[in-house]
């Protein structure tokens, strides 16, 4: 009988930033039982987590359907708005205050740290590295006067001013180390005196390094998380980079569709927006094969 080895990549389950955001949203609901709670842009990029909130009466305002300023303006006066973990333009808070909305801010502390770092260097050129269109990147660009943007998805740099001098380079918190390093190499080559000022999510860094080490030992890689999550997609890409057959699945139902009976070693990991419950039920299933 063939025995499958299942290797757990740790940490797994929600990262602290996501857990804090979820707790804050539930607190908002508890403290405002007679009001409707609106999640602006979705609190995290994970369909199961969004479904969890919808089942509890939260209204999700999807950034793919309209701009965030339009969405927040659609909330009835006096209701509750919860800003997502990805960060947001400060101008949205002005709209919320004019509408007398009750504000709960679930912004990840690492995102906040990057904003503060950039703001503290107001006399210096700032270059941002991230994914164009991602909520975190768009929030940063809305709040910080930026001299340039390096889009990691397209490996393309866009200068916002003619003479960029010795820029401070700040990256999206969910980037892989390789993504940031590649972008920084390009920027520093073209703009002498560049300095890396990256504040990355510690959980993201730990997961990526742990997965890379585990994948090098062999096996098929299973990544649990949403295809809409930049964090989760990076884990998938690491599995592929290490030459492993890699699958990205949301949860148990999708996992069961993959033929794994003949596999000798499975490396199981999860994105920062995937719950521990989802990880545990998938782990139990793999051990039962």
């Amino acid at each position: 009988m063939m025995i499958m080895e299942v290797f757990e990549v740790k940490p797994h389950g929600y990262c602290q930033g996501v857990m804090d955001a979820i707790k804050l949203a539930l607190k908002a609901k508890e403290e405002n039982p007679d009001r409707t709670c609106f999640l602006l842009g979705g609190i995290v990029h994970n369909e199961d987590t969004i479904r969890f909130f919808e089942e509890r009466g939260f209204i999700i305002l999807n950034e793919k359907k309209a701009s965030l300023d339009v969405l927040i303006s659609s909330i009835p006066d006096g209701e509750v708005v919860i800003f997502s973990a990805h960060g947001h333009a400060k101008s949205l808070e002005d709209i919320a205050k004019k509408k007398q909305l009750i504000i709960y801010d679930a912004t990840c502390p690492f995102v906040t740290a990057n904003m503060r770092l950039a703001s503290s260097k107001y006399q210096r050129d700032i270059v941002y590295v991230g994914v164009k269109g991602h909520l975190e990147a768009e929030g940063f660009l809305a709040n910080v006067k930026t001299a340039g943007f390096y889009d990691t998805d397209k490996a393309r740099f866009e200068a916002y001013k003619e003479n960029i001098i010795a820029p401070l380079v700040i990256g999206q918190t969910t980037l892989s180390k390789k993504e940031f390093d590649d972008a920084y190499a390009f920027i520093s080559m073209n703009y002498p005196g560049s300095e890396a000022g990256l504040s990355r999510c510690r959980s993201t860094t730990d997961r990526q390094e742990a997965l890379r080490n585990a994948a090098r030992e062999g096996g098929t890689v299973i990544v649990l998380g949403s295809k809409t999550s930049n964090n989760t997609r990076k884990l998938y890409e690491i599995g592929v980079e290490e030459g492993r057959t890699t699958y990205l699945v949301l949860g148990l139902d999708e996992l069961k569709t993959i033929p794994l009976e003949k596999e000798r070693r499975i490396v199981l990991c999860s994105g920062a927006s995937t719950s521990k419950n989802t990880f545990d039920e998938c782990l139990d299933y793999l051990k039962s094969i």
Side-chain angles (χ1 to χ4, degrees):
M1 178 179 178
M2 184 179 294
I3 299 176
M4 178 192 295
E5 175 195 0
V6 183
F7 182 89
E8 303 177 52
V9 174
K10 297 180 180 180
H12 51 65
Y14 292 133
C15 73
Q16 191 60 50
V18 171
M19 182 63 73
D20 289 346
I22 291 172
K23 288 180 179 178
L24 183 63
L26 294 176
K27 178 184 178 183
K29 187 72 172 177
E30 181 181 351
E31 293 179 344
N32 301 276
D34 299 324
R35 291 185 170 90
T36 302
C37 292
F38 292 81
L39 295 175
L40 187 63
I43 196 161
V44 294
H45 286 150
N46 184 280
E47 291 87 343
D48 284 343
T49 302
I50 295 300
R51 192 176 303 113
F52 168 87
F53 282 109
E54 289 176 333
E55 291 170 351
R56 285 156 180 77
F58 288 79
I59 303 298
I60 314 299
L61 299 177
N62 191 333
E63 73 275 10
K64 294 182 180 179
K65 294 183 178 180
S67 63
L68 293 185
D69 59 336
V70 170
L71 292 173
I72 197 170
S73 297
S74 72
I75 300 175
D77 292 0
E79 299 292 3
V80 177
V81 62
I82 299 126
F83 289 109
S84 80
H86 303 103
H88 56 276
K90 294 302 180 183
S91 60
L92 298 178
E93 295 180 18
D94 296 334
I95 297 174
K97 290 173 183 176
K98 288 179 181 178
K99 294 179 66 63
Q100 298 182 316
L101 301 180
I102 299 171
I103 299 172
Y104 287 81
D105 188 354
T107 302
C108 170
F110 290 100
V111 174
T112 300
N114 275 346
M115 294 276 195
R116 287 176 177 167
L117 176 61
S119 298
S120 70
K121 305 291 185 180
Y122 66 93
Q123 291 182 324
R124 185 170 184 179
D125 286 337
I126 304 293
V127 168
Y128 191 77
V129 178
V131 179
K132 203 65 175 289
H134 189 280
L135 281 180
E136 181 182 337
E138 294 305 304
F140 186 94
L141 295 177
N143 294 325
V144 178
K145 185 177 180 180
T146 310
F149 184 98
Y150 187 97
D151 186 349
T152 56
D153 269 2
K154 297 180 180 178
R156 185 172 64 191
F157 180 76
E158 183 178 0
Y160 296 153
K161 58 177 292 189
E162 287 188 8
N163 298 310
I164 299 176
I165 301 173
L168 179 69
V169 183
I170 295 178
Q172 192 171 307
T173 61
T174 56
L175 296 179
S176 68
K177 183 177 184 300
K178 183 178 185 303
E179 282 180 308
F180 183 81
D181 288 348
D182 288 349
Y184 183 71
F186 173 89
I187 295 165
S188 59
M189 179 178 66
N190 288 276
Y191 301 101
S194 296
E195 178 187 351
L198 174 66
S199 177
R200 295 174 64 215
C201 172
R202 188 170 297 110
S203 175
T204 295
T205 302
D206 291 346
R207 288 167 199 261
Q208 291 174 354
E209 291 179 355
L211 174 57
R212 193 174 294 280
N213 290 334
R216 285 172 179 168
E217 297 297 318
T220 293
V221 174
I222 305 292
V223 180
L224 301 175
S226 171
K227 294 177 177 62
T228 67
S229 166
N230 188 66
N231 174 290
T232 304
R233 290 202 309 272
K234 300 312 169 191
L235 293 172
Y236 173 83
E237 290 168 6
I238 287 171
V240 173
E241 287 170 5
E242 293 301 323
R244 304 302 167 198
T245 299
T246 305
Y247 298 94
L248 173 54
V249 299
L250 183 61
L252 183 59
D253 289 343
E254 290 185 19
L255 178 60
K256 286 182 175 179
T257 66
I258 303 173
L260 298 170
E261 291 78 6
K262 295 182 180 180
E263 298 294 336
R264 299 298 300 271
R265 185 174 192 263
I266 298 291
V267 176
L268 181 66
C269 69
S270 67
S273 299
T274 301
S275 70
K276 185 176 184 300
N277 180 65
T278 296
F279 185 93
D280 287 344
E281 65 181 8
C282 290
L283 178 63
D284 289 342
Y285 166 74
L286 290 173
K287 288 181 176 180
S288 71
I289 297 177

